[in-house]
Amino acid sequence: MNRRRFLGIGASVLGAGALVAVAVPSAARLFAEGRPGRLLSSGLDLPEAFRVPLPVPAVLKPVRTEGTTDYYEITQQVARLEILPGVKTEAWTYGGSFPGPTVVTRSGRTTVVKHRNELPVPSVTHLHGGHTPADSDGYPVDLLLPVGSSADAAQGASGMAGMPGMPGMHHAAGRNVVGERSYTYPGKQRAATLWYHDHRMGFTGPGVWRGLAGFHLVQDDEEGALPLPRGERDLPLMIADRSFAADGSFSYPSSDPALGEPGVTAAYANGVLGDVILVNGAPWPRLDVDRLRYRLRLLNASNARLYRLELDPQPVGGDALVQIGSDGGLLAAPVAHDGIEIAPAERFDVVVDFSRYEPGTRVRLVNRFGSGRTAEVMCFDVSAKQVKDDSSVPDRLATVEDLSASAVVTTREFTFRRSRTDGWIINGEPYQPGQSIATPALGTVERWRFSSDLHHPVHVHLDHFQVIGRDGKDAGPYDAGWKDTVDLRPAEAVEVLVRFTDYAGAYMLHCHNLEHEDMAMMADFTVQ
Ligand code: C2O
Ligand code: CU
């Protein structure tokens, strides 16, 4: 974060879009609806929607398998991709593609992913939603330095190099390595849609924006026994907005374009919104579907953009999006929605039955929170083929333990706010690696109360949590199941129950608006 620049933000924090888009009488309502971020317009003509076929990221093959462990390798590398038709974009990738390859693992088996860094910058890889020992969790100063970096660079406190603006931070040295690092995921968790992404201190926003994100799906027997759509009808959909410069490169408003110093220019301090909506790395793609059920694993991999996703037209009778899973895997029972509000990093696993549409219908996935081009996401073209569906959505999906409020041993408060002088802060402090603000004990249930000034998608590492209420009332329609990210709305308090298991050590909670995250809205907690 650049403190000097931060001083100049003033009242622009809601972003221009939020201020002009709503002509509402009451300031309170504007505040309540104001979604974060400012639109960064691309410098080239945007392609027409619904031309590019939906890509599906390749599933990564293990390099070897031994007993209960599967080994994978990913090389982080620069790649020139054709994201917009006819335009080359230099991306930072996992394995040469954006999204990176999908890692599919089995609950109960250990997964070791060896990352090799051939990027021009250090990286840190975090498995978002992973139940991961601390030394493999992708702590933001545990850098993987590029191949060929000097050993000195690894030994120095280089986690903080180039961050002169962050008070106190230059004292914290990470566990740095040069070239390659293996992350171990013991797989002690249920089936769920996870994702992996860059988590480098101060530079997660530009890293993910340039392409460092991929899916990681955990499977298990409980889910495998269900008659849900599978194979080609089980689709991970990574939704991410991006902007492009006139030369085709990703456009991102870093305050220091050389990325020596973290943070974005003052105008974008509340979040960067792109004007191109990508799904699996393609702009406004289209997919031919049969009149059958499809499972869509929705992930919002945007830096700051919130979406309200709906199908248009809605099928007769509504309830088009039947939610079967949340961040942490299957719900106990399906929940039908007309629309799904999804904040950065959240996942919603839904089943859509396209037999509810007439053959030949074009069904658009739209974003009711967007306007103009950002109001559209992708489309499904429903075929006329005669087909028979062998899938269904059972009324009971999974056994889900409910954490009990009566088991709570400690209640903790976490406030998420903007500071005039220190960027985005939690409990009054900008992030300082190594300074823990909570020490939950393994195996105990705690109540964590998150409160906010503006929208903040709050993410907790290590274990999923359950949302039990908002502002003293019931949890909201998008809060069901095990979650690892929950969107706080302006001036709202959200209560969750957490219980950390298996691994002691230092973990983090933070805002997943990546511009807020990079500008210090993170905190450590230490599980004991
Ligand atoms: Cu998806 Cu700590 O991040
Ligand atoms: Cu935030």
Side-chain angles (χ1 to χ4, degrees), residues 126 128 195 197 199 345 459 461 508 510 512 517:
H126 171 58
H128 182 121
W195 62 302
H197 62 76
H199 211 305
H459 171 46
H461 286 211
M508 6 192 30
H510 61 85
H512 219 290
E517 172 176 345

Side-chain angles (χ1 to χ4, degrees), residues 227-447:
L228 297 170
R230 59 182 79 239
E232 288 182 354
R233 291 193 283 132
D234 175 355
L235 290 167
L237 298 179
M238 178 187 287
I239 301 170
D241 60 340
R242 296 289 186 267
S243 298
F244 297 84
D247 64 0
S249 62
F250 284 121
S251 180
Y252 186 81
S254 293
S255 51
D256 174 4
L259 296 189
E261 224 180 86
V264 289
T265 57
Y268 291 92
N270 197 22
V272 182
L273 306 179
D275 59 0
V276 176
I277 307 295
L278 303 175
V279 184
N280 293 346
W284 303 284
R286 60 174 292 280
L287 178 71
D288 286 315
V289 293
D290 289 323
R291 298 182 67 231
L292 295 170
R293 290 182 190 81
Y294 284 71
R295 175 177 183 173
L296 309 178
R297 301 175 187 253
L298 304 169
L299 158 66
N300 181 355
S302 306
N303 283 30
R305 183 180 289 280
L306 289 150
Y307 300 77
R308 180 180 166 88
L309 300 173
E310 290 181 14
L311 294 181
D312 186 10
Q314 298 266 357
V316 175
D319 283 346
L321 304 169
V322 178
Q323 186 189 357
I324 57 167
S326 57
D327 302 335
L330 290 173
L331 305 181
V335 179
H337 302 271
D338 286 333
I340 287 196
E341 296 182 13
I342 183 169
E346 286 187 301
R347 285 89 70 214
F348 287 85
D349 216 323
V350 302
V351 171
V352 173
D353 185 355
F354 288 104
S355 75
R356 299 179 68 193
Y357 291 98
E358 292 302 317
T361 308
R362 169 162 282 183
V363 183
R364 294 178 308 140
L365 181 66
V366 298
N367 169 27
R368 296 290 183 215
F369 287 164
S371 59
R373 300 301 306 273
T374 64
E376 300 210 279
V377 178
M378 67 173 288
C379 81
F380 302 93
D381 287 322
V382 180
S383 88
K385 224 190 318 166
Q386 287 290 336
V387 281
K388 187 171 155 352
D389 203 342
D390 54 355
S391 72
S392 61
V393 180
D395 293 339
R396 281 209 42 77
L397 295 165
T399 305
V400 178
E401 175 193 7
D402 275 324
L403 294 180
S404 158
S406 63
V408 163
V409 298
T410 310
T411 296
R412 301 182 199 270
E413 307 272 344
F414 302 92
T415 61
F416 292 77
R417 299 195 188 290
R418 185 177 72 94
S419 147
R420 273 299 173 109
T421 51
D422 292 314
W424 297 95
I425 54 175
I426 300 176
N427 287 1
E429 296 287 343
Y431 182 54
Q432 304 211 21
Q435 183 172 303
S436 192
I437 67 167
T439 52
L442 274 172
T444 61
V445 178
E446 297 197 350
R447 176 189 289 110

Side-chain angles (χ1 to χ4, degrees), residues 101-270:
T102 300
V103 180
V104 180
T105 65
R106 203 73 213 159
S107 179
R109 289 187 67 80
T110 299
T111 300
V112 177
V113 185
K114 183 161 83 182
H115 281 267
R116 178 179 166 84
N117 184 359
E118 294 184 358
L119 296 170
V121 292
S123 71
V124 171
T125 306
H126 171 58
L127 175 56
H128 182 121
H131 183 54
T132 307
D135 58 0
S136 281
D137 193 46
Y139 191 64
V141 296
D142 290 350
L143 301 181
L144 172 57
L145 300 164
V147 168
S149 304
S150 73
D152 286 0
Q155 276 157 21
S158 58
M160 297 300 108
M163 302 191 66
M166 304 209 78
M169 287 194 155
H170 46 282
H171 298 301
R175 292 163 285 198
N176 297 345
V177 296
V178 174
E180 295 182 342
R181 163 171 259 145
S182 287
Y183 295 88
T184 299
Y185 308 117
K188 290 166 80 167
Q189 61 186 114
R190 58 202 296 260
T193 302
L194 315 181
W195 62 302
Y196 61 99
H197 62 76
D198 195 47
H199 211 305
R200 176 164 65 119
M201 181 75 194
F203 299 95
T204 297
V208 173
W209 186 267
R210 289 169 193 215
L212 293 173
F215 278 101
H216 182 129
L217 311 180
V218 182
Q219 302 180 329
D220 68 10
D221 293 343
E222 183 182 48
E223 185 184 87
L226 296 175
L228 297 170
R230 59 182 79 239
E232 288 182 354
R233 291 193 283 132
D234 175 355
L235 290 167
L237 298 179
M238 178 187 287
I239 301 170
D241 60 340
R242 296 289 186 267
S243 298
F244 297 84
D247 64 0
S249 62
F250 284 121
S251 180
Y252 186 81
S254 293
S255 51
D256 174 4
L259 296 189
E261 224 180 86
V264 289
T265 57
Y268 291 92
N270 197 22

